[in-house]
Amino acid sequence: LDVICSIDENGKFTAVSPASVQVWGYQPEELVGQRFTDLILTEDIEDALDQTRKVMLEKVLRPFENRVIRK
């Protein structure tokens, strides 16, 4: 039931798991090419960007959570 996704260095989705339909209401192909921050609540964006930067700098995969705007 978890949405697993990949983003590029510009913060755009490159791959999204099928769970996005049930969890967020979006088909994976609707999300590919969009910036992931477009789906995050405004007050959570800074934290999500900080977490993303840590993953990219440390090159260590780690899960993190944020609130997402459903379709």
Side-chain angles (χ1 to χ4, degrees):
L1 291 177
D2 291 335
V3 177
I4 300 170
C5 56
S6 298
I7 58 170
D8 65 13
E9 64 277 356
N10 297 311
K12 292 183 179 182
F13 289 109
T14 58
V16 181
S17 67
S20 65
V21 176
Q22 185 176 8
V23 178
W24 296 343
Y26 293 95
Q27 294 290 330
E29 54 272 8
E30 290 180 88
L31 298 172
V32 172
Q34 284 195 48
R35 292 188 185 280
F36 81 96
T37 53
D38 291 343
L39 296 180
I40 296 175
L41 290 178
T42 303
E43 57 265 32
D44 291 355
I45 290 175
E46 194 59 41
D47 182 56
L49 290 172
D50 287 342
Q51 294 296 330
T52 304
R53 282 187 207 105
K54 287 179 186 175
V55 169
M56 291 179 155
L57 287 173
E58 296 170 6
K59 298 192 186 305
V60 175
L61 296 178
R62 70 169 87 199
F64 64 91
E65 296 181 17
N66 47 259
R67 295 179 292 174
V68 174
I69 302 166
R70 287 183 48 83
K71 185 172 182 180

